[in-house]
Amino acid sequence: MTATVEEEAVAVKKITIGVCVMEKKVKCGSEVSSAPMEQILRRLQAFGEFEVIHFGDKVILEEPIERWPVCDCLVAFHSSGYPLKKAEAYAALRKPFLVNELEPQHLLHDRRKVYERLEMFGIPVPRYALVNREVPYQQLDYFIEEEDFVEVHGMRFWKPFVEKPIHGDNHSIMIYYPSSAGGGMKELFRKVGNRSSDFHPDVRRVRREGSYIYEEFMPTGGTDVKVYTVGPEYAHAEARKSPVVDGVVMRNPDGKEVRYPVLLTPAEKQMAREVCIAFRQSVCGFDLLRCEGRSYVCDVNGWSFVKNSHKYYDDAACVLRKMFLDAKAPHLSSAIPPTLPWKVNEPVQPSEGLTRQGSGIIGTFGQAEELRCVIAVIRHGDRTPKQKVKLKVTEEKLLNLMLKYNGGRPRAETKLKTAVQLQDLLDATRMLVPRTRPGRESDSEAEVEHGEKLRQVKAVLEEGGHFSGIYRKVQLKPLKWTKVTKNNGEGEEERPVEALMVLKYGGVLTHAGRKQAEELGRYFRNNMYPGEGTGLLRLHSTYRHDLKIYSSDEGRVQMSAAAFAKGLLDLEGQLTPILVSLVSKDSSMLDGLDNASIEMEEAKARLNEIITRSSKIVSSNEAPEVPWMVDGAGLPPNASELLPKLVSLIKKVTEQVRQLAKDENEKLTDTCLDDVIPPYDQAKALGKTNIDVDRIAAGLPCGSEGFLLMYARWKKLERDLYNERKERFDITQIPDVYDSCKYDLLHNAHLNLEGLDELFKVAQALADGVIPNEYGINPKQKLKIGSEIARRLLGKILIDLRNTREEALSVAELKSSQDHESSSTKTEKEDPKLLNKTDEGRKSSMSDMSMDQDDDDDKETKYRLDPKYANVKTPERHVRTRLYFTSESHIHSLMNVLRYCNLDDSLQEEESLVCYNALERLNRTKELDYMSYIVLRLFENTEVALEDPKKFRIELAFSRGADLSPLEENDTEAASLRQEHTLPIMGPERLQEIGSYLTLKKMEKMVRPFAMPAEDFPPPSTPAGFSGYFSKSVLERLVNLWPFHKHGNSNGK
């Protein structure tokens, strides 16, 4: 039977793909395997449906077209020495399906015609003017040149402006700079070695030997965007360092130019589609300039492939396969197989056991449901302990530094964050730190402590190999002043004589945190988006995924967001460019506890009372029906007995670290003060996801922390937890003690600190009770505090859900009206009047929802593609993803609102959004650890009426994050991960019963009382003179000039 199937397969005629291009464009010399064309053709052949025929230079240049091979589909594009007219004649003779049509390729050689075609299709271009000369140096009465501008037909271009030759193959482009900036000219050219431009300071006058385009210089922040389409439905975009910056090409260690993938906005995706259509080139590259919230096309290159991206090669092969099958074998299925044929024998990408599956992702209820929206609020990954040093300073050098950076105001506070400021502080501190060992007999206790703290400040500032305000910041606040005589002797002025210095540091994302975040991104990609075959990536690349990532202002949160994005979108390279490109900071929504500070202080005071008196007080006289309704739920009954034990164990650990720090300090004292010890380079460490083996082998603490800072960390905890003089415990230090224990057990187990595991168990028992109760001592207070901290975030989530619903309803209405109209369009030709009418209706409906409330940071109008013209097989498969990266406080706050919202007076008749079983599990969940998250998924039932309450369903799930104990012995997978200083992330758990149906309407009703109203959010702004990228005439051309529509009807597009 197998043999028969194989024989039948052989008998099926393969579709022939003719590759009629110059050989140099198919292969890159000896690097055949790295040539994009070769990579994509190899993948196409792996499907088993195609035979590839290479024409070769000899045939193309020497043979008549009648003797060229006959093929079903033709890949042909112009390059140097290519006979384009001959190829056109061949296409007319054999009539193959053309990937890129040939006649429009003539346009690409003339920049004037390129701009003319772009404008004809309503695609934005920079403001420009043409200077046409029939002979070199021809005098033109419409062209005027002055020192700082040129004027063409009355249009004035002030320097800096750009001068481009009209011939597309001439890459000598000039930028002329204004005299106020020193003048001169920069020449851009095709990359030569490591250079892409040269600056000529003495060239002030423009060229006059030919015809040129003059256009406005667009400030893009030093980044250019290259867009690569494969058919009108797919575009891949990459950013690179612009040649206008310094002309030095950024290359990676392999010598390749550094580029990184970027997201296109919906407007840019529409531009990519229209470029593809306007020039009738399926495979087409073009250059995009992003300037002040708008985007412009400044060059169209024609046939272009992305280099060195296997994901792109996979996508391009799949898109081209569909294109060829639709054209020549519409009866065959073009569905993408779950495993791509060239990946069948590839090892599966290891998940490293970092993310558990969990039971919370239920998925769709039957075939009628479509995923519409994924909203996730995610805590950052594993970090170093957060640290703070406070000391009063009277030293002149430090007081002068404060005055230097606060504008000389004696009573003004100063914040030092920049590299220059921190270097100034380090220089001053180095001169003030005592040169001998601390604790000389002549010193008082206060002097010894002051010297220790200065030494700690110096060590912190020297840590890391570079300065970054993301990780270290210093506040100097004046405390005392005196009157001194002014320098000119005339009168007196105030001068500070004492200030409070507060240094905040630590809390840096570790290598484990980066690994956790990236792995969780991969998990989301493969598990949160059902029914997509190869997952989220294809959905994302084909314009139907609308993604935004938000982060708080904290460095660890930003880097977690970037690492997650890397895993989610299968990106390559360092985190910094990903962060800059994809992550938006919103500190007002994701930072800070100021709104609830009074209530949190009340909760902590009540908590302290319960612990120290060991008297749990129930909220009513009778025992509660549920354990989580009491004040202080989760606190160990013997909390007051555990506190003294905690103090004695801390002292034991601190003494061991003190001895290690002393040994290290003696070694430092024996060396010259100016000797530079090679620092741990935090800049290099940012991209690492593995432990620093050399430091571990040398018996040093993991990461950037030396023994001196490690001792300072433990000593501060010991001092702050218990005041011996006042005999008073500070329970607010318990989370920090637990934090330090867990960090050292995971990252510094090799130091073998005796008693650390026992200290961890005691600290964990106390922290499991203290941490949840800091956000409210009982459910009603948790709800109040949670709503105040997460108010803005809750408002934004409701906006996300509302926008998704409105968009889905608009698409459904449009689809319904199209189905209704289809009967009339089958019997008669499309009436231009009808087209105009339909377009007007669509245009007005779009204007109603044109502004996305959350897109004010883009300063752009957002229009969704019209499915009638978009040529997308399933246009309704549009998914919105919003990711919010934040800290523990916002995760606790959001969870408390979701589970206790029905306790509000206005909602007491309602059931909780969270089912009873989940409430019990949450009560047992003491910690929402690193990478914990809450995820909301919105599904649309496509078979019910638009007004049906069950049209939209919400699914709620949460994950406890990496909450396994570092002492866990019964989990072999976790034990192996601990060797890499990391812990697995728990899978999502359901917050609803299986089969329950939470409607969007119910969700909105329950959350709205605690959310910031939509009208309180700042309104999005539209740039002046900007009306969007859609117009009636553009849509008419979109339909009439659609190059691939002749094959569209056969497969139901």
Side-chain angles (χ1 to χ4, degrees):
M1 173 129 184
T2 308
T4 312
V5 172
E6 287 177 357
E7 285 165 14
E8 285 176 7
V10 171
V12 174
K13 183 181 179 297
K14 292 187 176 182
I15 296 170
T16 52
I17 302 171
V19 181
C20 179
V21 302
M22 305 300 278
E23 287 172 8
K24 65 182 178 183
K25 291 291 179 180
V26 183
K27 300 178 181 179
C28 297
S30 60
E31 295 181 52
V32 176
S33 63
S34 68
M37 175 81 92
E38 192 74 12
Q39 290 272 4
I40 292 164
L41 291 174
R42 204 179 293 160
R43 283 164 168 75
L44 279 168
Q45 286 174 292
F47 280 110
E49 301 149 336
F50 306 103
E51 178 187 350
V52 175
I53 303 170
H54 292 276
F55 285 24
D57 288 2
K58 184 172 173 58
V59 168
I60 293 170
L61 297 173
E62 299 176 15
E63 297 284 351
I65 59 170
E66 290 76 14
R67 293 174 61 180
W68 285 13
V70 177
C71 60
D72 298 312
C73 305
L74 185 69
V75 172
F77 57 89
H78 180 269
S79 60
S80 179
Y82 185 79
L84 186 56
K85 289 280 188 189
K86 194 174 179 182
E88 286 182 73
Y90 169 80
L93 175 68
R94 302 296 184 195
K95 297 184 170 46
F97 170 77
L98 298 173
V99 179
N100 281 21
E101 296 196 21
L102 297 166
E103 182 269 329
Q105 292 183 29
H106 292 285
L107 295 173
L108 300 175
H109 305 306
D110 189 328
R111 287 192 172 95
R112 294 170 298 189
K113 291 178 179 175
V114 168
Y115 271 26
E116 186 181 318
R117 180 59 66 102
L118 289 169
E119 287 184 298
M120 180 178 150
F121 276 74
I123 299 165
V125 297
R127 189 173 70 94
Y128 76 99
L130 301 175
V131 173
N132 294 308
R133 290 188 178 90
E134 294 174 10
V135 293
Y137 304 102
Q138 179 184 357
Q139 292 296 318
L140 302 168
D141 55 7
Y142 62 79
F143 179 75
I144 300 166
E145 180 180 15
E146 296 291 347
E147 184 181 14
D148 273 334
F149 67 84
V150 292
E151 198 169 288
V152 185
H153 292 296
M155 283 180 68
R156 183 169 293 186
F157 295 87
W158 290 93
K159 293 180 179 178
F161 58 71
V162 182
E163 177 189 70
K164 295 177 178 177
I166 61 167
H167 299 294
D169 298 326
N170 185 343
H171 298 283
S172 179
I173 294 170
M174 311 293 196
I175 299 171
Y176 296 89
Y177 295 97
S179 55
S180 59
M185 175 272 289
K186 178 163 284 186
E187 180 182 9
L188 315 184
F189 44 77
R190 278 263 166 110
K191 290 189 290 287
V192 178
N194 270 350
R195 295 209 62 79
S196 56
S197 70
D198 280 329
F199 183 62
H200 303 276
D202 300 325
V203 177
R204 308 293 172 101
R205 309 286 288 177
V206 301
R207 291 174 287 184
R208 293 171 183 266
E209 57 267 31
S211 298
Y212 300 98
I213 291 175
Y214 290 91
E215 66 182 51
E216 232 172 345
F217 175 79
M218 315 290 284
T220 61
T223 303
D224 283 352
V225 178
K226 297 269 185 186
V227 183
Y228 302 85
T229 70
V230 185
E233 298 177 32
Y234 179 96
H236 174 98
E238 291 186 339
R240 61 162 192 175
K241 180 184 174 186
S242 172
V244 307
V245 181
D246 60 1
V248 178
V249 178
M250 285 177 66
R251 297 189 183 276
N252 63 21
D254 299 326
K256 299 182 175 73
E257 184 179 17
V258 174
R259 297 183 174 195
Y260 53 92
V262 294
L263 298 185
L264 295 175
T265 66
E268 290 169 340
K269 291 173 181 179
Q270 176 64 12
M271 289 161 71
R273 182 184 305 280
E274 288 176 356
V275 166
C276 201
I277 295 161
F279 294 89
R280 305 208 293 280
Q281 306 292 294
S282 283
V283 177
C284 188
F286 65 91
D287 294 354
L288 202 62
L289 299 176
R290 287 174 166 175
C291 177
E292 296 178 355
R294 296 183 63 178
S295 300
Y296 305 83
V297 176
C298 64
D299 196 13
V300 179
N301 312 119
W303 188 284
S304 298
F305 277 140
V306 176
K307 298 178 179 67
N308 308 307
S309 172
H310 291 282
K311 174 178 128 23
Y312 169 81
Y313 299 152
D314 294 349
D315 287 350
C318 291
V319 175
L320 287 170
R321 170 180 176 260
K322 177 170 172 51
M323 207 180 287
F324 294 146
L325 290 179
D326 288 351
K328 293 296 178 181
H331 57 287
L332 295 178
S333 169
S334 59
I336 299 165
T339 304
L340 296 170
W342 55 89
K343 292 193 171 186
V344 170
N345 298 318
E346 278 188 15
V348 178
Q349 188 179 33
S351 69
E352 303 184 61
L354 262 179
T355 307
R356 306 281 168 92
Q357 283 300 315
S359 61
I361 302 305
I362 302 165
T364 56
F365 284 6
Q367 294 296 311
E369 278 201 335
E370 290 275 2
L371 178 67
R372 283 287 167 264
C373 184
V374 176
I375 298 171
V377 182
I378 306 169
R379 189 183 173 191
H380 57 76
D382 181 69
R383 57 158 172 77
T384 62
K386 290 188 289 184
Q387 300 285 291
K388 187 187 288 185
V389 184
K390 284 186 179 181
L391 65 158
K392 290 179 180 177
V393 295
T394 55
E395 290 84 352
E396 192 75 11
K397 284 185 181 299
L398 297 175
L399 296 173
N400 286 342
L401 193 67
M402 179 175 70
L403 291 170
K404 176 179 176 181
Y405 289 113
N406 72 3
R409 294 170 295 166
R411 290 182 178 262
E413 187 179 317
T414 309
K415 289 185 181 177
L416 308 179
K417 287 181 73 172
T418 68
V420 173
Q421 293 169 340
L422 293 175
Q423 185 63 55
D424 263 2
L425 179 61
L426 175 57
D427 293 343
T429 311
R430 278 174 173 161
M431 299 179 74
L432 294 170
V433 168
R435 289 177 177 245
T436 55
R437 286 202 302 268
R440 293 171 300 181
E441 290 180 11
S442 59
D443 288 344
S444 69
E445 188 179 332
E447 286 173 326
V448 170
E449 186 179 328
H450 186 73
E452 276 181 8
K453 287 185 174 180
L454 274 178
R455 193 175 280 104
Q456 189 181 346
V457 170
K458 173 176 171 283
V460 170
L461 294 174
E462 287 175 338
E463 171 195 51
H466 81 305
F467 283 121
S468 170
I470 277 184
Y471 297 116
R472 280 165 286 194
K473 39 197 166 190
V474 177
Q475 289 170 285
L476 284 164
K477 189 174 182 180
L479 297 175
K480 292 180 182 175
W481 302 264
T482 187
K483 296 278 187 182
V484 295
T485 307
K486 287 185 180 179
N487 290 336
N488 58 12
E490 296 179 7
E492 293 183 329
E493 63 181 359
E494 239 182 3
R495 185 169 177 81
V497 290
E498 184 180 86
L500 177 68
M501 180 193 288
V502 182
L503 165 63
K504 293 181 180 178
Y505 67 100
V508 181
L509 196 68
T510 64
H511 56 85
R514 287 185 284 279
K515 184 185 278 190
Q516 286 170 335
E518 192 173 330
E519 173 58 29
L520 186 61
R522 272 198 289 272
Y523 175 83
F524 264 60
R525 183 214 311 164
N526 294 321
N527 294 278
M528 291 293 176
Y529 301 85
E532 272 305 312
T534 49
L536 166 73
L537 297 179
R538 193 142 288 102
L539 177 76
H540 182 71
S541 298
T542 52
Y543 304 164
R544 290 170 286 162
H545 185 219
D546 175 11
L547 169 68
K548 269 187 173 291
I549 304 172
Y550 296 90
S551 160
S552 73
D553 203 33
E554 298 286 357
R556 58 185 167 274
V557 182
Q558 292 179 50
M559 282 303 175
S560 296
F564 183 97
K566 184 177 180 180
L568 179 74
L569 299 177
D570 198 20
L571 303 177
E572 298 160 8
Q574 293 293 305
L575 296 186
T576 300
I578 296 171
L579 173 67
V580 170
S581 171
L582 302 184
V583 180
S584 303
K585 282 194 291 184
D586 192 326
S587 58
S588 61
M589 179 166 65
L590 299 167
D591 263 329
L593 306 171
D594 294 347
N595 294 340
S597 56
I598 296 171
E599 287 84 358
M600 287 188 74
E601 287 304 318
E602 288 173 1
K604 288 174 185 176
R606 180 79 182 95
L607 192 58
N608 187 66
E609 183 185 327
I610 293 172
I611 291 176
T612 52
R613 294 185 185 178
S614 286
S615 57
K616 276 193 187 176
I617 300 171
V618 179
S619 52
S620 66
N621 295 328
E622 298 176 10
E625 292 179 17
V626 288
W628 53 87
M629 293 303 288
V630 300
D631 283 9
L635 280 169
N638 61 338
S640 60
E641 297 163 22
L642 292 176
L643 284 172
K645 193 174 181 182
L646 191 70
V647 172
S648 63
L649 287 167
I650 278 187
K651 287 183 175 180
K652 186 176 179 181
V653 170
T654 304
E655 178 54 32
Q656 292 173 75
V657 182
R658 186 189 72 80
Q659 193 57 49
L660 292 168
K662 183 183 174 192
D663 295 344
E664 180 184 68
N665 194 56
E666 284 175 350
K667 289 176 189 172
L668 291 179
T669 307
D670 291 340
T671 62
C672 172
L673 187 73
D674 297 325
D675 285 350
V676 178
I677 295 158
Y680 175 90
D681 193 336
Q682 208 169 61
K684 286 182 182 172
L686 275 178
K688 288 178 67 173
T689 53
N690 298 313
I691 59 174
D692 196 324
V693 179
D694 293 338
R695 284 182 66 87
I696 306 300
L700 294 169
C702 180
S704 62
E705 190 178 51
F707 283 120
L708 178 64
L709 289 180
M710 189 176 178
Y711 170 61
R713 166 161 60 90
W714 280 104
K715 186 65 182 173
K716 183 176 187 298
L717 288 171
E718 179 192 311
R719 188 185 295 129
D720 293 350
L721 178 65
Y722 182 63
N723 187 318
E724 293 188 350
R725 188 169 57 82
K726 295 181 180 178
E727 297 184 348
R728 191 165 64 202
F729 295 98
D730 181 357
I731 63 159
T732 63
Q733 298 300 314
I734 289 171
D736 293 338
V737 175
Y738 171 64
D739 197 23
S740 264
C741 287
K742 191 168 185 179
Y743 176 80
D744 283 336
L745 274 176
L746 192 59
H747 293 280
N748 290 323
H750 60 285
L751 299 179
N752 298 311
L753 296 171
E754 190 183 336
L756 184 61
D757 50 354
E758 191 181 354
L759 173 60
F760 172 77
K761 289 173 185 173
V762 175
Q764 185 180 42
L766 286 164
D768 282 352
V770 168
I771 293 172
N773 282 292
E774 286 188 328
Y775 300 99
I777 205 73
N778 54 46
K780 281 215 166 185
Q781 194 178 43
K782 287 186 199 301
L783 177 61
K784 187 173 190 330
I785 290 173
S787 63
E788 288 176 347
I789 291 174
R791 182 171 179 267
R792 192 180 184 95
L793 175 60
L794 285 161
K796 179 64 170 60
I797 289 171
L798 289 183
I799 288 172
D800 295 336
L801 293 171
R802 184 201 67 192
N803 286 346
T804 306
R805 178 187 62 214
E806 295 306 314
E807 180 182 90
L809 289 175
S810 295
V811 170
E813 285 169 0
L814 191 60
K815 195 169 176 238
S816 172
S817 65
Q818 283 171 356
D819 292 343
H820 181 70
E821 288 169 10
S822 60
S823 56
S824 59
T825 53
K826 283 177 186 173
T827 54
E828 57 183 60
K829 276 193 175 182
E830 215 168 343
D831 185 345
K833 293 176 187 171
L834 178 64
L835 174 67
N836 292 352
K837 185 178 177 183
T838 306
D839 178 43
E840 288 294 339
R842 189 199 61 79
K843 198 173 163 192
S844 64
S845 73
M846 280 198 163
S847 66
D848 292 340
M849 62 166 190
S850 63
M851 294 303 293
D852 191 341
Q853 189 77 32
D854 68 343
D855 288 324
D856 53 299
D857 56 320
D858 281 12
K859 303 293 185 282
E860 281 201 15
T861 309
K862 302 292 174 164
Y863 288 86
R864 297 289 170 229
L865 302 177
D866 183 344
K868 183 171 182 179
Y869 307 115
N871 199 24
V872 174
K873 190 172 183 181
T874 53
E876 65 275 12
R877 211 40 201 93
H878 181 89
V879 177
R880 178 188 300 260
T881 298
R882 294 293 181 266
L883 304 172
Y884 301 96
F885 286 83
T886 184
S887 54
E888 185 180 26
S889 60
H890 280 65
I891 298 284
H892 274 286
S893 299
L894 180 59
M895 182 61 83
N896 286 338
V897 172
L898 291 177
R899 61 174 161 168
Y900 297 134
C901 54
N902 63 314
L903 299 181
D904 187 72
D905 293 341
S906 64
L907 299 168
Q908 284 196 341
E909 300 300 314
E910 301 286 344
E911 290 185 7
S912 171
L913 289 174
V914 176
C915 69
Y916 186 84
N917 286 339
L919 286 170
E920 280 191 320
R921 266 184 285 117
L922 283 168
N923 186 52
R924 294 194 300 271
T925 300
K926 306 302 182 186
E927 187 173 10
L928 293 172
D929 213 320
Y930 300 129
M931 300 313 303
S932 56
Y933 58 86
I934 298 166
V935 64
L936 294 83
R937 298 200 301 168
L938 177 67
F939 293 89
E940 178 190 1
N941 187 330
T942 56
E943 291 186 353
V944 302
L946 298 181
E947 62 277 3
D948 193 313
K950 289 199 171 184
K951 180 73 174 169
F952 296 101
R953 176 178 70 87
I954 296 276
E955 177 193 275
L956 293 172
F958 86 104
S959 163
R960 293 171 286 146
D963 84 330
L964 269 188
S965 164
L967 300 176
E968 179 66 55
E969 293 177 355
N970 300 324
D971 193 317
T972 52
E973 195 176 34
S976 66
L977 284 169
R978 280 206 306 276
Q979 300 299 313
E980 292 295 315
H981 295 192
T982 191
L983 290 171
I985 301 166
M986 297 296 103
E989 301 176 50
R990 289 190 301 274
L991 290 174
Q992 302 146 291
E993 297 286 4
I994 294 178
S996 67
Y997 205 101
L998 172 59
T999 65
L1000 174 57
K1001 188 176 181 182
K1002 166 84 181 279
M1003 176 80 184
E1004 289 177 322
K1005 177 183 177 181
M1006 299 297 285
V1007 172
R1008 192 172 286 120
F1010 315 101
M1012 178 184 281
E1015 56 268 21
D1016 288 357
F1017 279 77
S1021 60
T1022 307
F1026 182 56
S1027 58
Y1029 295 121
F1030 276 94
S1031 68
K1032 184 167 66 178
S1033 57
V1034 171
L1035 286 165
E1036 285 180 22
R1037 285 194 299 272
L1038 247 158
V1039 175
N1040 297 333
L1041 297 176
W1042 188 263
F1044 313 109
H1045 72 281
K1046 50 184 175 281
H1047 305 296
N1049 295 333
S1050 60
N1051 67 351
K1053 282 184 190 171

